[in-house]
Amino acid sequence: MMHLPLVLIGAGGHASVIVDACEKIGFLPEGYLAPNPSTHPIVARLQYLGNDNRLDDEDFRRGHDFIIGLGEMAMRARIADNLCRLNLAVRNVIH
């Protein structure tokens, strides 16, 4: 199975745990989506790719796999539902 470049959704504490886990397996996300650039030092090392509106760009969606780095369950579920509705690949990192 071919994997596309990975984009992290989120920029806070949970996202930093995801970045750390990805670093440990040698597969760093290409960048992240969040309302604003992250001030969290671990996430801020990644490229800020814009906010959730980037998911409206079909070329962007087709060129990436996604991982949700949000700790708040309701928001995580809303984003997951949206990604599934768009038939996008959502990847997992066990940490």
Side-chain angles (χ1 to χ4, degrees):
M1 175 180 195
M2 185 179 111
H3 293 290
L4 296 170
L6 186 62
V7 171
L8 175 67
I9 299 176
H14 190 74
S16 70
V17 172
I18 299 298
V19 171
D20 186 54
C22 287
E23 284 179 332
K24 286 184 169 112
I25 61 171
F27 192 75
L28 205 57
E30 176 179 277
Y32 67 97
L33 299 178
N36 299 296
S38 182
T39 58
H40 197 288
I42 293 174
V43 178
R45 294 188 306 222
L46 302 177
Q47 181 180 0
Y48 177 64
L49 300 172
N51 62 30
D52 293 351
N53 291 335
R54 287 299 302 272
L55 296 174
D56 295 335
D57 179 345
E58 189 172 344
D59 289 334
F60 181 78
R61 292 191 315 254
R62 287 185 188 187
H64 297 92
D65 288 344
F66 298 89
I67 187 162
I68 302 170
L70 302 168
E72 201 276 307
M73 292 300 291
M75 187 178 294
R76 185 187 312 180
R78 182 181 57 78
I79 296 291
D81 288 346
N82 187 41
L83 295 174
C84 290
R85 183 183 53 78
L86 294 168
N87 203 28
L88 299 176
V90 179
R91 306 260 298 274
N92 294 311
V93 173
I94 298 171
H95 54 87

